[in-house]
Amino acid sequence: MTNSLAAEKATAAAWFRQLRDEITTAFEALEDSHDQGPFAEAEPGRFEVTETKRQSDDGSDTGGGLMSVMRGGRVFEKVGVNVSTVYGQLGERAQQAMAARKGIPGMKDDPRFWASGISLVAHMRNPHVPAVHMNTRMFWTPHAWWFGGGSDLNPCIEYDEDTTHFHDQQKRHLDPHGPGHYPRLKDWADEYFYIPHRKRARGVGGIFMDDYCTGDWQTDFALTQDIGRAFLPAFLPLVEKRRVQPFTEADKDTQLVHRGLYAEYNLVYDRGTKFGLETGHDPDAVLMSLPPLAKWV
C-alpha cells in the first residue's frame, strides 16, 4: 500500500466519523429543544453507542465501527447513525453485492477489499415529519476504488414545499461541482429508490450515486463530502417546521403503512443491506435501518 493510498483511506474514514459526530450532536440538540407538542413530556432522547465488529469466515477481526441508535425520544422514534471501516477478502456473492453496476477488476484473483462509510436512517415520532436516509462511503480493491452515497426523503404525508426545500439544498451543494451533477444524481436516486413490486417510489427522492470514480480522488472525495454536508440543512428545517404539528390516529396509521414500504425496500433491494450481511458485518448494525413499528394492509 502506498503512503498516498493509506492517507486517502485515513482521510475518508476520518471524514465519515466527523460527519457522524456533527449529525448526532445536532439530533440530540433537537431533542433538548423540543418542549412543545404531544411528546414534550418525554425525556430527551440520547444515542446509545455500541462498537461493532466484522468477522471473517475464519473468525478473525477485520474491522468494525460504531452503531449509534436513539429510541423513543421526543422527536425521533428511532434513528441510527452508523460508521464503519471494514476490510478483508470478499466471496463471490459479496463481490456481486459490492458493485452491481460493473464488474470488479481483478477481484477473482485478488479478493481483498477495504470499505468505510456512514449510514443514517431516521424514523420520526410525528407522522408529519418525514423519515430520511443518508449515506456516503468509499470502497477500495487492489485494482479499483470508488465512492457512493446520497440522501433521500421518505414522508408518509407529503408536502410539496418540504420536497422542494430538500431538493434545493441538494442542488445548492452539488452545483459548485458542475451543473450536471444534481440532475444526474437526482435521476439516479429516482431509479435506485424505486420499489418494482409496488410500482412506486419509496419516497420523494433526493440524490444518489454509486461506483463513482472519475480517476481524480480529491475531486471525487470533495463531491462525496458535499453530499454529506447537504444533509443537515436539507433535513433539519423540515423537522423544526413539522415536529409540533397536530396529527390524528389516521395520520399515525398512514405512517405505519408507509414504513412497511421502507422495510420491504431495504430487505429486498437495498445493496448496502445485502453487502453488509454478505460480508459478515454486525447484523444489528446492518438492519438498524428498519423501523421500530410498521404495518401492512
Side-chain angles (χ1 to χ4, degrees):
M1 181 186 302
T2 66
N3 290 337
S4 175
L5 176 59
E8 289 169 350
K9 288 181 177 180
T11 297
W15 160 250
F16 299 136
R17 175 60 185 265
Q18 176 186 332
L19 183 59
R20 174 263 178 204
D21 293 346
E22 292 175 0
I23 291 171
T24 55
T25 297
F27 282 4
E28 288 189 347
L30 270 178
E31 288 286 320
D32 289 336
S33 65
H34 186 55
D35 56 2
Q36 303 178 46
F39 305 109
E41 298 303 316
E43 287 294 318
R46 288 292 180 267
F47 281 98
E48 298 179 5
V49 181
T50 306
E51 289 190 8
T52 62
K53 296 292 184 182
R54 175 187 179 268
Q55 289 191 333
S56 64
D57 292 339
D58 63 7
S60 61
D61 183 6
T62 52
L66 292 177
M67 176 173 64
S68 304
V69 180
M70 183 195 302
R71 297 178 177 88
R74 293 171 168 176
V75 179
F76 298 92
E77 189 167 348
K78 178 187 177 185
V79 53
V81 188
N82 294 352
V83 287
S84 65
T85 299
V86 295
Y87 47 87
Q89 297 193 359
L90 293 179
E92 184 176 349
R93 290 179 60 182
Q95 292 177 35
Q96 294 171 358
M98 190 175 187
R101 288 181 172 268
K102 65 181 181 182
I104 306 175
M107 203 67 188
K108 289 186 177 180
D109 298 324
D110 189 347
R112 289 176 296 155
F113 86 102
W114 177 96
S116 185
I118 177 174
S119 180
L120 176 156
V121 177
H123 298 287
M124 314 305 292
R125 282 276 209 178
N126 191 317
H128 293 287
V129 182
V132 72
H133 157 260
M134 186 277 293
N135 77 82
T136 56
R137 56 191 179 272
M138 176 188 167
F139 286 111
W140 170 91
T141 73
H143 302 284
W145 57 261
W146 59 92
F147 291 96
S151 61
D152 64 296
L153 200 66
N154 297 270
C156 67
I157 301 171
E158 295 183 15
Y159 294 94
D160 289 343
E161 62 268 33
D162 292 2
T163 301
T164 297
H165 170 83
F166 190 81
H167 280 273
D168 283 350
Q169 287 297 315
Q170 311 290 344
K171 185 176 186 299
R172 185 173 74 82
H173 282 79
L174 291 187
D175 278 353
H177 300 274
H181 279 295
Y182 168 74
R184 186 163 63 88
L185 269 61
K186 177 186 180 299
D187 289 346
W188 206 334
D190 290 342
E191 175 188 346
Y192 185 77
F193 297 112
Y194 183 78
I195 307 174
H197 66 271
R198 297 292 186 183
K199 297 181 172 56
R200 59 158 294 172
R202 185 173 81 174
V204 295
I207 54 175
F208 181 76
M209 66 180 188
D210 214 351
D211 304 344
Y212 187 82
C213 175
T214 67
D216 185 329
W217 190 90
Q218 291 290 348
T219 296
D220 295 351
F221 179 53
L223 173 64
T224 303
Q225 287 179 292
D226 277 339
I227 289 174
R229 291 188 182 105
F231 174 72
L232 285 176
F235 182 60
L236 290 187
L238 308 183
V239 181
E240 293 283 5
K241 180 167 57 174
R242 303 290 177 194
R243 63 184 181 173
V244 297
Q245 190 167 334
F247 63 88
T248 65
E249 286 299 320
D251 294 333
K252 196 68 179 176
D253 192 71
T254 298
Q255 181 189 50
L256 295 178
V257 172
H258 190 81
R259 285 177 177 176
L261 287 176
Y262 202 96
E264 288 178 20
Y265 177 86
N266 276 35
L267 292 173
V268 177
Y269 301 110
D270 186 66
R271 278 180 52 194
T273 301
K274 293 178 181 179
F275 176 76
L277 295 176
E278 290 288 352
T279 55
H281 199 54
D282 187 315
D284 290 329
V286 175
L287 298 175
M288 168 274 297
S289 60
L290 296 179
L293 293 172
K295 68 179 292 185
W296 285 263
V297 295

